[in-house]
Amino acid sequence: MGVTRTKKSTSLKRKRKDPPGDDNDDGRRTKSENVSIGKLTSQIKNKQRRSEVYGKLLHEQSVEKKKRRQLRQKEELRALENGETPAPRQVPKTIENQRVIDETHIVREDEEEIHNEDKEDEFASYFSFNSSPKIIITTSRKPSGAMFKFLENLFTVVPNAYYYARRNYHVKEMVKHATARGFTDLLIFNENKTFSKGARVNGLLHVHLPEGPSVMYKLTNLILSKKIRNHGRATSHYPELLLNNFSTRLGHRIGRMFASLFPQKPEFKGRRVVTFHNQRDFIFFRHHRYVFEEKKGVRRRHGGHLSTAEVDEESFSKNRIKKSSKRKSKPSLALPSGEDEEDGDEEDVQFSGDEDSDSDSDEFKAGSSSDEDSDDDDDSSSSGSSSDDDDDDDDDDDDSDDDSGEDEDGKKKEKKPFERKKKLTKAQKKKIADENDDRPTSVIARLQELGPRFTLKLMSVQKGTFDSKHGEFEYVRSTETDGTRKNRRKFVL
């Protein structure tokens, strides 16, 4: 017997997966508490519809955030008016404040123990002022031009540093020769060999002499001084050293190793600062210089986002007078005094290069009336003009006597050349304005970056001097235990 099979009617429509969240009447999806906007809209296949829904949800989120912020500010104002302390603000969760603190983290109880260990470590002679830093700097084999540009910037940072060519020497041989010549540290900078894409400095090996340790770093984000905007020029003074956020035992050891590169007698006259800032096991290097500027007026401290700055009436009136003086008035053509409108109508002011127009313009500038230009046919006027001519001749004779270049004593006069008034520069105008300004001066301090800047990532710490085969390592970077995507709150330094 044959078995008859009945085909069930199945709908060919593909079932649409509803994204997590609540649906409104118009089909719009609102954001739930634990789901992001991207996940809410990721299931919408139509790109245009997806972008519209994404924009609406993003707008609603920003509006809600603004309302919460305004409500919080009103509550803070109400609490301050009533004399109460406002509620503390919520601290956002970051990788830094969610850090896992383990037994390697330095606590106050361990300070005495660490202090005793520091007296016996490899850097004790430096911190007890028994030795001064003397550094040898070299490169990998066949360095490129980019390496030498970086070293040129580096020598402005590290004092008492000397460069030696690498040639074909191994690291062990270099350690031996550097120890024999009294060097305290060896810095070897490495670079990649892909010259087709451009050589780039990518590594640093720091060997402390004569007993170690040896530390390997990965060097990234290198920016030379020339590419830093508004950079300054370093002086030859010894810099001040700042070590920030080295809070574990290994970080404390690395910080002491960095400190051994610089003399312990900073010359504050040079106002130079070298900073090694550790953040999430990335060591950021910066080189700055303090700049002190004197400015007129007293800067007032801002009391917070709820306070407003008070302005004196005197300073406000001075600013208004300055602004009004800067406004240029429109030029107006006014008739000279003693002229009527009728006389002005009779004369036509000409701006061409003719002789008549020149004479007219000169007379117009001198303030002469139009009646003097008209010619009189009377005899009295002619006789008056002749007498005037005689007087002019006498004046010309006197002028010729004066122009002869001799004084009454017979000495020759020196003719002074024509001098034009020099235009003042902006700095000179500012200096004159500051001298005339009666307001009190205030000193403002700022930092000017000198460069270079780069970032270091600790890769390994080896006991003693460098040994690639039989070396004993104190620390080797591991992606399983260190701060990675799997464990982002675990830090070593």
Side-chain angles (χ1 to χ4, degrees):
M1 295 177 62
V3 180
T4 58
R5 298 180 180 179
T6 59
K7 295 182 179 180
K8 297 180 179 181
S9 62
T10 58
S11 61
L12 298 177
K13 295 182 180 179
R14 185 179 297 175
K15 293 183 179 180
R16 182 171 128 184
K17 296 180 180 179
D18 295 331
D22 300 332
D23 293 343
N24 294 334
D25 296 334
D26 57 348
R28 185 179 57 189
R29 292 165 178 78
T30 59
K31 179 189 173 186
S32 62
E33 295 181 355
N34 299 325
V35 182
S36 63
I37 298 177
K39 289 183 178 179
L40 287 173
T41 58
S42 61
Q43 302 297 331
I44 302 175
K45 302 299 182 182
N46 191 339
K47 184 177 180 180
Q48 185 175 1
R49 175 62 180 166
R50 182 171 66 247
S51 61
E52 291 177 359
V53 174
Y54 185 88
K56 289 180 181 179
L57 294 177
L58 193 64
H59 177 69
E60 291 177 359
Q61 185 183 18
S62 62
V63 169
E64 292 176 1
K65 189 176 181 181
K66 185 177 180 180
K67 288 181 180 178
R68 290 196 302 268
R69 183 173 65 251
Q70 291 176 351
L71 181 62
R72 184 175 65 249
Q73 291 178 357
K74 289 180 181 179
E75 291 177 355
E76 289 179 356
L77 277 173
R78 193 182 300 109
L80 291 173
E81 289 175 356
N82 298 332
E84 302 175 355
T85 57
R89 292 193 173 188
Q90 295 181 355
V91 180
K93 291 184 179 181
T94 60
I95 298 177
E96 286 289 332
N97 57 25
Q98 298 295 317
R99 176 176 182 172
V100 177
I101 299 176
D102 53 3
E103 63 276 1
T104 61
H105 196 80
I106 297 176
V107 196
R108 290 184 179 180
E109 300 174 356
D110 302 334
E111 290 181 357
E112 186 176 355
E113 181 183 354
I114 291 173
H115 183 67
N116 295 330
E117 291 178 357
D118 292 343
K119 294 180 180 179
E120 300 177 357
D121 65 354
E122 300 90 340
F123 315 105
S125 61
Y126 166 77
F127 286 98
S128 60
F129 296 95
N130 294 329
S131 63
S132 58
K134 187 179 177 183
I135 303 159
I136 179 172
I137 297 178
T138 186
T139 63
S140 57
R141 293 183 177 91
K142 296 181 181 181
S144 64
M147 174 67 77
F148 286 107
K149 289 180 181 179
F150 167 65
L151 293 182
E152 185 179 356
N153 287 182
L154 190 67
F155 276 105
T156 62
V157 179
V158 184
N160 302 329
Y162 303 88
Y163 171 74
Y164 284 87
R166 176 67 180 272
R167 297 179 183 175
N168 291 326
Y169 290 105
H170 296 284
V171 178
K172 286 186 177 181
E173 296 175 348
M174 298 181 69
V175 168
K176 183 178 179 181
H177 293 306
T179 306
R181 286 166 175 76
F183 287 96
T184 59
D185 291 273
L186 172 64
L187 300 179
I188 303 174
F189 290 93
N190 187 37
E191 62 182 345
N192 59 343
K193 297 300 180 181
T194 57
F195 290 100
S196 59
K197 298 180 181 179
R200 185 178 68 253
V201 183
N202 62 357
L204 167 63
L205 175 62
H206 182 188
V207 182
H208 185 73
L209 303 175
E211 299 177 356
S214 303
V215 183
M216 179 74 74
Y217 299 98
K218 180 182 178 181
L219 194 149
T220 55
N221 301 330
L222 173 61
I223 300 177
L224 301 181
S225 302
K226 189 176 181 181
K227 294 185 179 180
I228 297 175
R229 187 179 180 182
N230 296 330
H231 70 278
R233 182 176 295 179
T235 59
S236 58
H237 298 86
Y238 289 163
E240 181 186 359
L241 184 64
L242 298 179
L243 300 172
N244 295 335
N245 203 19
F246 291 94
S247 56
T248 62
R249 291 178 178 268
L250 182 60
H252 178 71
R253 187 169 171 80
I254 296 298
R256 285 172 65 85
M257 195 168 183
F258 282 133
S260 65
L261 294 174
F262 299 90
Q264 293 191 69
K265 299 178 180 180
E267 297 175 352
F268 297 103
K269 187 178 180 180
R271 300 170 306 190
R272 290 177 56 200
V273 183
V274 174
T275 306
F276 290 92
H277 176 74
N278 174 41
Q279 186 173 357
R280 291 184 293 178
D281 288 348
F282 289 95
I283 303 171
F284 299 94
F285 173 84
R286 295 294 183 270
H287 184 205
H288 291 93
R289 175 175 175 265
Y290 290 112
V291 177
F292 298 98
E293 296 176 345
E294 292 185 356
K295 291 189 177 181
K296 292 290 182 180
V298 180
R299 294 187 67 185
R300 302 187 178 187
R301 294 183 179 179
H302 198 270
H305 67 283
L306 296 176
S307 65
T308 56
E310 298 178 358
V311 183
D312 296 334
E313 294 181 359
E314 296 180 359
S315 61
F316 182 72
S317 61
K318 286 181 180 179
N319 292 334
R320 291 189 64 182
I321 292 169
K322 286 182 181 179
K323 288 182 179 179
S324 62
S325 63
K326 288 181 180 179
R327 295 174 183 172
K328 296 181 180 179
S329 59
K330 295 182 179 180
S332 60
L333 180 61
L335 292 172
S337 60
E339 289 188 353
D340 298 331
E341 293 181 357
E342 296 177 357
D343 296 334
D345 294 338
E346 291 177 359
E347 280 190 352
D348 294 330
V349 180
Q350 298 178 0
F351 295 95
S352 62
D354 299 335
E355 296 177 357
D356 297 339
S357 64
D358 293 336
S359 61
D360 293 340
S361 62
D362 293 336
E363 292 173 0
F364 182 75
K365 289 179 182 176
S368 62
S369 62
S370 61
D371 296 332
E372 294 177 359
D373 296 319
S374 62
D375 297 329
D376 297 334
D377 298 328
D378 297 336
D379 297 331
S380 60
S381 62
S382 62
S383 62
S385 63
S386 62
S387 62
D388 294 339
D389 295 334
D390 296 334
D391 295 334
D392 295 339
D393 295 338
D394 296 334
D395 294 338
D396 294 334
D397 295 334
D398 295 335
D399 295 337
S400 63
D401 294 335
D402 295 335
D403 295 338
S404 61
E406 294 183 358
D407 292 339
E408 296 176 355
D409 300 337
K411 295 181 179 179
K412 292 184 177 181
K413 289 183 179 180
E414 294 181 359
K415 292 184 179 181
K416 295 182 179 180
F418 178 74
E419 295 181 357
R420 293 184 178 179
K421 293 183 179 180
K422 295 182 179 179
K423 292 184 179 180
L424 298 177
T425 59
K426 290 183 179 179
Q428 292 174 345
K429 291 180 181 178
K430 186 179 179 182
K431 186 178 180 181
I432 294 170
D434 292 341
E435 290 176 356
N436 298 330
D437 197 350
D438 298 334
R439 292 182 299 171
T441 58
S442 61
V443 180
I444 300 172
R446 64 181 179 88
L447 284 176
Q448 182 184 25
E449 191 169 359
L450 305 179
R453 69 168 76 154
F454 53 85
T455 306
L456 297 175
K457 181 71 173 178
L458 181 64
M459 304 304 293
S460 65
V461 180
Q462 186 178 0
K463 292 183 179 180
T465 58
F466 181 78
D467 190 352
S468 58
K469 293 184 179 180
H470 307 288
E472 183 180 354
F473 289 89
E474 298 181 17
Y475 165 78
V476 178
R477 175 171 168 77
S478 175
T479 56
E480 296 181 359
T481 58
D482 298 339
T484 57
R485 294 181 180 179
K486 297 180 180 179
N487 191 2
R488 300 181 65 186
R489 295 173 176 82
K490 170 73 175 178
F491 300 115
V492 180
L493 300 178

